[in-house]
Amino acid sequence: MIINFSKYQGAGNDFILIDHRDSELKNLDNSIVAQLCDRRFGIGADGLMLLKQHDDFDFEMVYYNADGNLGSMCGNGGRCIVAFAKHLGIIDSETNFLAVDGPHYAKITAKGNWVELQMIDVDAISKDDDAFVLNTGSPHYVKEVKDLAKLDVFSAGKEIRNNDTYKAAGINVNFVEDKGDHLFVRTFERGVEDETFACGTGVTAVAMALAQKKQPGYIETPVEVLGGKLQINFDYDGDIFTNVFLCGPAEKVFEGEIVL
Ligand SMILES: N[C@@H](CCC[C@H](N)C(=O)O)C(=O)O
């Protein structure tokens, strides 16, 4: 069986995308996903997505982490699958699609490769010592640090992700340094079990956690990640974050065929 795929990246968070609408591919074994995402024995990616037909939405997004397991919501993956849907001619510049955490609206701006994805509303942020814990479609731990460029994010993130509190369900671990006019964020991702170049639900969680220090209102948060720049916009009334948009580039890198 030959399966066509496209490789996309959003701020360096990279994904294999497969149009599953009339694909011969019925079920995707977890071990095959893990092998395709492997950077030495496969195509290489932080995750894999299937674009599926859906009766009530433009399409459905099914997301697997690089370890082969079905993941929770992936923000950068969501932005990339919107660009993929546009490439396939399924949508024009706006879409409503379904993901694991519910319906999402997104728009592609005139610049072409810039995708603004609406994320779920968030009304709960808890504390773990001096860190914040919240769910933006995926679970996130957010810790402010100094001199983030020098931090060993792999070791520090791995230790938190595997401590007694988080080991069973796992968590994505974000470290943030406030640079004044923007935030610098680095993330150890559950399911990749490594630092990635960007995490969309992660930077969204970071922007919300740090917005608690600000006056309520409409807040725009520019973020620098290892793979580029993202921006998070939302309304914050002091308790709840609504109209949340994750904005950034989503670009096709190459396409090819998988022989299964
Ligand atoms: N890279 C993602 C997050 C993907 C989900 C995550 N690894 C998990 O299952 O916890 C993003 O851009 O949000």
Side-chain angles (χ1 to χ4, degrees):
M1 186 187 356
I2 293 178
I3 304 296
N4 295 312
F5 74 90
S6 294
K7 176 85 187 284
Y8 275 73
Q9 61 88 13
N13 209 185
D14 60 340
F15 309 98
I16 299 163
L17 281 138
I18 296 173
D19 179 2
H20 195 268
R21 287 172 304 161
D22 52 5
S23 167
E24 278 180 70
L25 188 67
K26 295 290 171 248
N27 297 310
L28 205 45
D29 199 77
N30 293 8
S31 62
I32 293 176
V33 174
Q35 196 195 336
L36 293 174
C37 291
D38 191 286
R39 296 197 184 275
R40 292 186 179 79
F41 297 100
I43 298 161
D46 294 326
L48 180 148
M49 281 172 277
L50 302 179
L51 183 150
K52 292 195 167 196
Q53 186 88 43
H54 196 288
D55 290 345
D56 303 323
F57 292 89
D58 292 333
F59 60 88
E60 181 180 359
M61 163 183 165
V62 176
Y63 178 75
Y64 295 83
N65 276 313
D67 65 3
N69 293 313
L70 280 167
S72 43
M73 180 56 185
C74 177
N76 288 325
R79 295 188 313 94
C80 286
I81 204 167
V82 168
F84 183 52
K86 162 109 179 168
H87 235 100
L88 293 173
I90 300 171
I91 61 162
D92 187 16
S93 56
E94 287 185 287
T95 180
N96 287 286
F97 69 95
L98 187 65
V100 64
D101 61 344
H104 286 264
Y105 164 79
K107 61 184 175 206
I108 303 175
T109 68
K111 282 186 253 170
N113 68 347
W114 188 263
V115 180
E116 304 193 347
L117 171 66
Q118 188 161 19
M119 309 294 285
I120 59 167
D121 294 350
V122 170
D123 62 3
I125 301 183
S126 58
K127 292 288 301 275
D128 179 350
D129 289 331
D130 57 349
F132 299 96
V133 177
L134 62 158
N135 194 311
T136 53
S138 281
H140 286 277
Y141 177 103
V142 176
K143 187 174 170 64
E144 257 196 282
V145 296
K146 291 198 172 67
D147 212 0
L148 178 55
K150 294 212 178 99
L151 183 71
D152 179 353
V153 168
F154 176 76
S155 303
K158 187 176 178 184
E159 192 175 326
I160 294 164
R161 182 256 183 266
N162 289 298
N163 72 21
D164 288 346
T165 308
Y166 303 114
K167 191 174 176 50
I171 199 158
N172 298 283
V173 181
N174 304 274
F175 299 99
V176 52
E177 182 174 355
D178 193 341
K179 296 280 199 183
D181 61 347
H182 71 280
L183 303 177
F184 177 37
V185 178
R186 295 175 62 189
T187 305
F188 178 94
E189 262 193 57
R190 172 183 79 166
V192 182
E193 305 308 331
D194 203 349
E195 181 177 14
T196 55
F197 271 30
C199 177
T201 50
V203 294
T204 304
V206 168
M208 290 174 177
L210 271 62
Q212 294 176 108
K213 292 192 268 190
K214 297 184 179 168
Q215 285 299 316
Y218 173 69
I219 298 175
E220 293 184 350
T221 310
V223 177
E224 175 197 352
V225 293
L226 292 183
K229 290 187 167 72
L230 294 164
Q231 173 146 329
I232 303 94
N233 306 330
F234 47 67
D235 291 315
Y236 175 51
D237 71 359
D239 281 318
I240 304 177
F241 300 88
T242 55
N243 299 317
V244 183
F245 277 85
L246 167 67
C247 314
E251 285 164 354
K252 183 171 173 176
V253 187
F254 61 87
E255 60 186 26
E257 289 177 343
I258 300 162
V259 182
L260 287 178

